[in-house]
Amino acid sequence: MTVPFAPADSRLLGEVIRARFAIAYPGFALAADLTLPGRGVTALFGRSGSGKTTLLRAIAGLERHPGAYLAVNGEVWQDGDRFLPAHRRPLGYVFQEASLFPHLTVRRNLEFGQKRALAGVGAAARRADLEQTADLLGIAPLLDRLPDRLSGGERQRAAIARALLTRPRLLLMDEPLAALDFQRKAEILPYLERLHDELEIPVLYVSHSPDEVARLADHLVLLQDGQVAASGPLRDTLARLDLPTAFADDAGVVIEGTAAEFDAAYHLLRLTFPGGSVHVAHREVPVGRRLRFQVRARDVSLSLSAERDSSILNRLLATVTAVADADTDTSAHVLVRLDAGGTPLLARITRRSRDQLGLAPGKPVWVQIKAVALLA
Ligand SMILES: Nc1ncnc2c1ncn2[C@@H]1O[C@H](COP(=O)(O)OP(=O)(O)OP(=O)(O)O)[C@@H](O)[C@H]1O
């Protein structure tokens, strides 16, 4: 396997991705100086034209931008005059459209991916690796088919498997679901969630779909007109009031809970998290399983007492940490950020309610959650 440039001191670079790029095209400039986790899924999120693909291609080394710096988990891929060309970077790249060879079966396509990475590995080990990866992506029964006999979602899963079989140390995914219809997206997302749980390598995932980001990302980079508007853990970044996403209609937080008990009589699953617990309508899952759920700001109301005689099932005690008005004076709403035992939450309430309840940072309140969306 190709050995990328050794770092001067890998301990200083740590298990992170350091990426610094300044890119200028006529009419567009991108400036990014990022430190990203060396494991898990980082979403590059932003509107069309914000620079997501430009950044991903620069990280892949498909374009050489002078003055840039890139190190991935202790290996320097670009620094000053050093530039590891794209074909020598140990990375997998998955595009919007699966680019499988049309004349080769899925198996041959996957073997092609393996060739470079497993030069010194025996045939049996290669086959085991291929079959394990095919299983992970649910394409084992499709290995003998040609790509044009696959659905769009199956083709994309085969493309992901091929990328993984190159044994990359970084996986880049550029809107891998964008070309699929709703049904196919729904079909492929559980496989991406499995990857999220099982991959040891970092994944950079370009998307402009808030739903995909909520389900898959651990870390969020928000790009705006070529600038990094925010970069941080998903949980904290979604709860920021100072970002353009905050007042969007679907603003809300994502919480990772642990299945604690199942109420078979009412078909309700109780999920615990540091701030308390919530009930969601769901089938039984093993106790201890981690599940993500989303709480939108518009589905949260606040009161000063527990109001136990309401139909709302999910009620938590929290403290107000910030209150923000929308940019426009004409908005009837404010956004309240809360802390429930270390878990941030957002509530969208009217300005009138804010004044009536006297909401200000430090005030304890009861949070009532009208709807919890399970993201699995
Ligand atoms: N090679 C290039 N030469 C000149 N301009 C470019 C080049 N590549 C990208 N651009 C411009 O840079 C800007 C950012 O493009 P980019 O594809 O990175 O955005 P994006 O956020 O990925 O958008 P989308 O979500 O639509 O894919 C656009 O204005 C685009 O026209």
Side-chain angles (χ1 to χ4, degrees):
M1 172 160 303
T2 314
V3 179
F5 302 113
D9 183 347
S10 61
R11 282 167 307 167
L12 290 179
L13 297 170
E15 295 297 294
V16 294
I17 299 171
R18 282 282 298 125
R20 199 178 61 235
F21 291 96
I23 299 170
Y25 291 136
F28 178 78
L30 179 134
D33 188 351
L34 293 162
T35 302
L36 306 173
R39 245 200 97 159
V41 177
T42 291
L44 303 180
F45 180 77
R47 288 205 184 138
S48 181
S50 56
K52 305 180 296 291
T53 299
T54 301
L55 181 58
L56 211 64
R57 288 177 61 81
I59 289 172
L62 291 169
E63 265 114 43
R64 182 173 184 162
H65 300 287
Y69 179 84
L70 176 66
V72 177
N73 286 342
E75 292 168 355
V76 179
W77 293 0
Q78 184 170 2
D79 186 15
D81 292 337
R82 298 156 141 203
F83 179 78
L84 193 67
H87 67 274
R88 286 186 54 210
R89 295 187 183 196
L91 58 83
Y93 205 133
V94 177
F95 301 89
Q96 263 185 39
E97 303 269 359
S99 52
L100 300 172
F101 295 116
H103 60 289
L104 298 181
T105 62
V106 172
R107 183 186 293 281
R108 295 270 172 261
N109 266 285
L110 300 194
E111 284 169 354
F112 188 86
Q114 282 186 306
K115 241 181 224 157
R116 197 181 59 168
L118 302 180
V121 176
R126 278 177 189 228
R127 212 165 27 247
D129 204 28
L130 189 148
E131 261 140 40
Q132 202 183 353
T133 306
D135 269 344
L136 179 67
L137 286 147
I139 54 166
L142 312 174
L143 286 173
D144 296 321
R145 292 212 203 151
L146 286 170
D148 68 355
R149 295 273 177 267
L150 302 178
S151 74
E154 289 165 347
R155 259 201 301 278
Q156 199 55 306
R157 271 145 55 197
I160 297 168
R162 188 177 63 176
L164 290 178
L165 283 164
T166 64
R167 296 252 175 120
R169 271 172 257 167
L170 172 65
L171 183 62
L172 305 178
M173 303 180 94
D174 195 351
E175 306 223 30
L177 308 188
L180 304 177
D181 60 29
F182 181 79
Q183 185 79 32
R184 303 281 174 230
K185 273 189 189 137
E187 190 185 289
I188 198 171
L189 267 163
Y191 292 100
L192 296 182
E193 280 164 348
R194 267 170 86 178
L195 285 186
H196 169 271
D197 294 342
E198 299 197 17
L199 279 190
E200 302 269 324
I201 56 167
V203 179
L204 300 186
Y205 188 102
V206 165
S207 178
H208 55 232
S209 152
D211 286 346
E212 282 169 39
V213 171
R215 284 180 71 156
L216 298 171
D218 305 299
H219 189 96
L220 179 61
V221 174
L222 189 64
L223 282 175
Q224 215 183 356
D225 301 328
Q227 302 289 315
V228 177
S231 171
L234 180 78
R235 203 187 77 145
D236 303 330
T237 312
L238 288 180
R240 276 176 57 174
L241 300 180
D242 59 332
L243 296 176
T245 45
F247 281 87
D249 191 47
D250 57 358
V253 296
V254 172
I255 300 172
E256 194 157 287
T258 306
E261 73 184 294
F262 182 66
D263 182 339
Y266 292 108
H267 300 280
L268 290 172
L269 181 69
R270 189 164 71 88
L271 296 169
T272 57
F273 62 99
S277 68
V278 291
H279 286 92
V280 291
H282 197 57
R283 62 187 158 75
E284 186 165 13
V285 299
V287 167
R289 175 164 306 169
R290 315 273 299 157
L291 292 169
R292 283 183 178 201
F293 60 96
Q294 188 169 40
V295 178
R296 295 198 196 276
R298 60 169 190 244
D299 292 326
V300 175
S301 64
L302 304 175
S303 74
L304 299 181
S305 61
E307 291 187 9
R308 291 192 187 282
D309 53 353
S310 100
S311 67
I312 290 175
L313 204 56
N314 293 315
R315 217 173 270 112
L316 305 165
L317 196 53
T319 307
V320 174
T321 53
V323 183
D325 283 276
D327 284 341
T328 107
D329 291 342
T330 53
S331 169
H333 291 100
V334 294
L335 210 52
V336 181
R337 197 179 63 216
L338 304 133
D339 176 275
T343 300
L345 286 166
L346 292 178
R348 188 168 65 174
I349 60 167
T350 61
R351 285 207 247 188
R352 189 159 119 176
S353 301
R354 172 198 61 190
D355 294 345
Q356 275 174 355
L357 299 179
L359 296 183
K363 184 144 187 140
V365 285
W366 284 95
V367 173
Q368 294 168 326
I369 303 173
K370 284 175 259 178
V372 173
L374 209 58
L375 298 169

